Amino acid sequence: MTDSDDARMTRLLSGLPTAAQERLRETDWASHQHAYGSGEDVPALLCSLVDEDAEVRAEALAALDMGVLHQGSVYSVTAPAALFVAAIIDHPLGLTEHEGHLPWDDTPPRTLRAALLGRLGQVAEAAGYGEDPARDRADVAWQPWDENREDERDLDELAALQACRDIRPALYDAVEPFLSSPDPHICEAAIGAAVPLLRAPALADRIPRAAGLLRTRLRTMTGRRERATVARALSLWGSDTSDLLVDSDPAVRVCAALGPVRVDRPRALAVLLDALRDPRTTDGWFPEPLYGVDGWFRFTVLRSALDLAASFEEVAPVVTAMVAEGRSSITDFESGPILLRAFPAGYDPARSLTSAQRALLRAFIETDEVTGSIRSNGSWFRAAGLPEDPEGIAAML
């Protein structure tokens, strides 16, 4: 480093909270790895998160995305870096705003604090994936062949994953104070981080307090996005959201039905299916996706409905109509999950198809010429034990 770089680092270090300084000193960064090699460059990157220059902060956040948590993958450097981020959440620069640095980051300007809370949420999401296979199947990114990949991880990957799971209590301690933030953007980011953190088995006892904090906030919230964010959190934590299932706002009702509903399951499923009958309206509720929600919002609604249904017949009319619409965007995110729910144990030639299964397969055949609904979903048809071409499906009917 140049003399000016040394002076800059000295200045940044002196302004860090004690916990952050200790994390930098006590971690052997060179012994850790990120997506592009040794973690020896990570301390400078982390310190840049609190640089006075907004562009430098944005570059540091982008570098965290690209290397420390690359496309949702965790590395040995991920856990100590996350603990550093947790230690600077309340830094005075946390309320400064900046724009995204990456070309594809078109989100509006946000505070550093909201961005850092978002990074902790991403670490928690990555740490929790694979921990509860039944829960993962309701995730929009889940594919049936993913479960077979768990055994392919080497010891270093497994150690990095476990390290991220082990630090979740510390991360939540840093996040919880901001569940009561008067700033709606910071509060939303905190909820977005708290949702995956509190789904960790070791943190289940923290849910009642967190739910209480959100219920208190809900009394003063009026905006759709704010109220829907709280409803989604309560639902995913398994809290009783029966009162929100009858809310006047359909977006709030749907978010209250997204989790493992333990009270009034039929009403929750009806709410989800209503939203899927008009997917374009549902997709328009949140122009900027909610924290933790990927892709079109209908994808998340669909996965939750399929997971909540006691049988395929409960959802068959609505989801078959979705396939019959023939949208080209349904590959993997809609057609595949629908197909696997119709054949959860795989197709058995010794058993006759049900009327619901026949209607679904007929819809696939009728839309295949336009959308490739069968050929484009070959992996899903294979996973369901079905032929991977229209001719083979037609021969079954």
Side-chain angles (χ1 to χ4, degrees):
M1 290 191 295
T2 65
D3 291 343
S4 60
D5 288 333
D6 285 335
R8 171 179 165 272
M9 285 297 296
T10 299
R11 184 180 73 256
L12 293 177
L13 284 168
S14 65
L16 290 175
T18 301
Q21 293 186 31
E22 291 176 349
R23 177 59 50 191
L24 287 178
R25 287 197 305 268
E26 295 173 4
T27 301
D28 181 5
W29 297 100
S31 69
H32 290 293
Q33 296 288 314
H34 52 62
Y36 303 106
S38 169
E40 60 188 344
D41 60 340
V42 170
L45 164 67
L46 295 175
C47 287
S48 295
L49 291 171
V50 291
D51 193 283
E52 295 87 349
D53 188 327
E55 183 64 20
V56 172
R57 295 196 300 272
E59 290 178 4
L61 284 167
L64 281 178
D65 281 338
M66 296 293 289
V68 177
L69 189 65
H70 181 67
Q71 297 182 349
S73 297
V74 298
Y75 303 88
S76 61
V77 80
T78 306
L83 288 171
F84 177 91
V85 169
I88 63 168
I89 285 289
D90 58 356
H91 191 279
L93 280 175
L95 296 179
T96 58
E97 287 193 346
H98 61 86
E99 297 182 357
H101 179 74
L102 297 170
W104 54 85
D105 186 356
D106 57 357
T107 55
R110 58 202 183 279
T111 63
L112 174 65
R113 184 163 297 154
L116 294 178
L117 286 165
R119 296 310 183 277
L120 295 184
Q122 290 170 357
V123 171
E125 290 277 6
Y129 199 78
E131 197 169 37
D132 183 346
R135 184 181 70 206
D136 289 344
R137 293 186 186 102
D139 187 279
V140 68
W142 181 84
Q143 296 174 322
W145 45 91
D146 284 346
E147 294 185 347
N148 298 328
R149 294 175 183 167
E150 291 297 312
D151 297 334
E152 298 175 5
R153 291 176 170 173
D154 60 32
L155 293 179
D156 289 339
E157 290 177 297
L158 292 173
L161 178 63
Q162 189 59 51
C164 289
R165 290 175 176 175
D166 290 343
I167 65 171
R168 286 179 294 190
L171 299 188
Y172 181 72
D173 286 341
V175 167
E176 188 187 72
F178 300 102
L179 295 178
S180 302
S181 173
D183 183 316
H185 299 293
I186 291 176
C187 180
E188 181 186 350
I191 295 172
V195 165
L197 285 169
L198 291 189
R199 294 173 85 180
L203 291 175
D205 62 336
R206 310 276 192 102
I207 290 177
R209 173 178 164 79
L213 291 172
L214 296 192
R215 283 286 185 178
T216 299
R217 284 300 307 274
L218 191 60
R219 298 190 193 109
T220 61
M221 289 178 169
T222 57
R224 161 175 282 178
R225 187 180 183 89
E226 295 173 290
R227 299 181 70 248
T229 295
V230 170
R232 175 176 175 267
L234 294 173
S235 182
L236 292 179
W237 290 336
S239 301
D240 180 4
T241 57
S242 53
D243 60 323
L244 297 174
L245 293 174
V246 295
D247 193 87
S248 60
D249 189 326
V252 174
R253 294 198 298 269
V254 167
C255 284
L258 291 178
V261 178
R262 296 169 182 169
V263 179
D264 206 353
R265 186 195 70 86
R267 185 187 294 274
L269 182 58
V271 164
L272 296 174
L273 293 178
D274 279 346
L276 293 173
R277 289 187 178 94
D278 188 6
R280 288 181 177 82
T281 296
T282 299
D283 284 338
W285 286 339
F286 307 109
E288 182 186 345
L290 300 177
Y291 279 88
V293 176
D294 295 321
W296 293 109
F297 189 53
R298 71 176 185 271
F299 297 158
T300 293
V301 177
L302 173 63
R303 292 286 183 127
S304 295
L306 296 175
D307 184 60
L308 194 58
S311 68
F312 178 66
E313 282 65 26
E314 277 194 303
V315 297
V318 173
V319 300
T320 299
M322 293 175 70
V323 174
E325 279 191 35
R327 290 190 300 271
S328 59
S329 64
I330 61 179
T331 300
D332 286 343
F333 294 108
E334 288 185 329
S335 292
I338 290 170
L339 185 71
L340 210 64
R341 188 66 186 84
F343 297 90
Y347 169 62
D348 182 357
R351 302 180 64 180
S352 299
L353 294 172
T354 66
S355 58
Q357 289 171 330
R358 287 181 181 279
L360 177 65
L361 294 179
R362 195 171 294 114
F364 273 112
I365 291 175
E366 292 171 353
T367 57
D368 185 71
E369 186 173 344
V370 175
T371 67
S373 61
I374 297 176
R375 291 183 175 89
S376 296
N377 287 283
S379 297
W380 287 95
F381 276 83
R382 191 182 316 120
L386 293 163
E388 300 172 40
D389 57 89
E391 296 75 19
I393 297 297
M396 299 170 55
L397 300 176

